[in-house]
Amino acid sequence: MLSIGRIDYANVTPLFHALQEHFPCDGYRFTGGVPANLNALLAAEKIDVCPSSSIEYAIHSERYLILPDLSISSAGPVASVLLFSRVPIEELEGQEILLSAESATSVNLLRILMGKRFGHTCRYTVSSMPLAEALRTASAMLLIGDAALRSSLAETGLRIYDLGSLWYEWTGLPFVFALWFCTRSAAQSRHGEVRLLADRLVQAKAYADREREHIAAISPEASWMGREGLIAYWRENISYEMGEAQQEGLRLFYRYAAELGLIPVAPELHFFE
């Protein structure tokens, strides 16, 4: 049985719904979690395939193969990777920024933006405190996923910076937050199963694009985002594409991460065939 990791965020709801709606999934075992936890499970080979943090691939590229034509990315605002700040971002030099414990890629994207785009040297601390409590002492806090979406809907009086927007405005390229990849051991021992899943996921991507309204009507996230808000988020902010522009953006992210010492080297992109 192929073990598949599932990120417990609204950004992947359409794809997993389409997969389970249109294809038999009794041969799959799904494991839910936040990106940081799923990265650890994938690294330990406790799951075979996962939409996992793009930085995880960079750290252990020798362990994985990327499934083609799939990502979780944005070309502009992503809406669910947000820096909440008490002061303008230009004034964060030397300040403490708190980081979501759920994040991996977004943490490194923030470090790149602060260091290379704004020229800031900041102090970074991982925290699980609620936003309001956290910002009583720190100047800013990074939230991702549903926590970021929920906090952006509340009236906080804080400045909110979308990391997808900051990257796109600076580079002109999409940012790839997550890749679908499999362990090389699964690619070898279960090649046919992985190939079938990869084909189904590409088809599910097309179904998800056509069925947003139906999926939103039955998704639990609509209870707090609103049906129209959820549809707009999937349509305007989240992309599942992995074309040349996404690959170029990913390579640039890896190059900057290597230059700042966040990863050992910028890896080559090796795809499952």
Side-chain angles (χ1 to χ4, degrees):
M1 179 174 288
L2 205 61
S3 180
I4 303 171
R6 174 172 179 161
I7 301 173
D8 291 335
Y9 292 157
N11 58 13
V12 291
T13 296
L15 193 60
F16 276 99
H17 175 89
L19 176 67
Q20 294 174 301
E21 178 85 2
H22 293 281
F23 300 97
C25 292
D26 52 344
Y28 303 143
R29 182 177 71 253
F30 294 96
T31 300
V34 299
N37 292 343
L38 292 176
N39 290 349
L41 292 175
L42 197 66
E45 298 191 2
K46 293 183 178 179
I47 52 178
D48 303 309
V49 184
C50 187
S52 193
S53 304
S54 55
I55 200 71
E56 170 66 15
Y57 177 82
I59 296 169
H60 298 299
S61 60
E62 76 284 356
R63 299 181 182 179
Y64 305 124
L65 293 173
I66 303 168
L67 301 192
D69 302 321
L70 294 162
S71 77
I72 302 173
S73 58
S74 73
V78 67
S80 50
V81 180
L82 304 175
L83 181 69
F84 295 82
S85 179
R86 292 191 283 109
V87 300
I89 196 168
E90 293 81 7
E91 298 178 13
L92 284 173
E93 167 63 28
Q95 299 297 306
E96 182 181 28
I97 299 178
L98 300 183
L99 307 171
S100 166
E102 299 179 0
S103 176
T105 294
S106 301
V107 164
N108 290 287
L109 172 58
L110 178 63
R111 290 175 182 267
I112 289 169
L113 289 168
M114 298 306 291
K116 285 192 165 287
R117 177 173 176 178
F118 296 101
H120 291 340
T121 301
C122 300
R123 293 175 287 116
Y124 299 96
T125 306
V126 175
S127 174
S128 58
M129 287 191 293
L131 181 63
E133 180 182 348
L135 293 191
R136 288 175 189 154
T137 54
S139 297
M141 186 174 193
L142 175 69
L143 294 179
I144 69 167
D146 292 3
L149 287 168
R150 287 178 182 271
S151 295
S152 69
L153 296 173
E155 182 55 53
T156 62
L158 299 168
R159 292 171 171 84
I160 303 176
Y161 297 95
D162 187 305
L163 268 59
S165 290
L166 293 177
W167 171 267
Y168 190 74
E169 291 162 2
W170 182 42
T171 67
L173 293 168
F175 189 82
V176 178
F177 291 91
L179 298 162
W180 275 85
F181 48 91
C182 64
T183 63
R184 287 180 181 258
S185 60
Q188 182 175 10
S189 63
R190 300 181 176 181
H191 186 275
E193 292 175 76
V194 175
R195 183 180 61 189
L196 180 60
L197 174 63
D199 290 342
R200 286 174 171 176
L201 285 168
V202 171
Q203 294 177 66
K205 179 176 69 172
Y207 283 122
D209 187 53
R210 294 196 297 266
E211 298 172 0
R212 288 193 194 101
E213 293 193 5
H214 163 67
I215 298 170
I218 60 175
S219 295
E221 295 92 349
S223 65
W224 52 272
M225 282 191 71
R227 181 171 169 272
E228 294 305 317
L230 194 54
I231 293 170
Y233 171 59
W234 292 334
R235 182 181 61 242
E236 298 169 11
N237 303 115
I238 299 300
S239 171
Y240 297 140
E241 299 304 316
M242 188 56 175
E244 288 300 322
Q246 284 80 13
Q247 292 178 44
E248 186 179 351
L250 185 61
R251 290 188 180 97
L252 183 60
F253 170 56
Y254 288 158
R255 179 160 67 84
Y256 286 158
E259 288 174 2
L260 290 180
L262 304 175
I263 56 175
V265 295
E268 294 295 323
L269 305 182
H270 296 290
F271 289 88
F272 175 85
E273 297 180 3

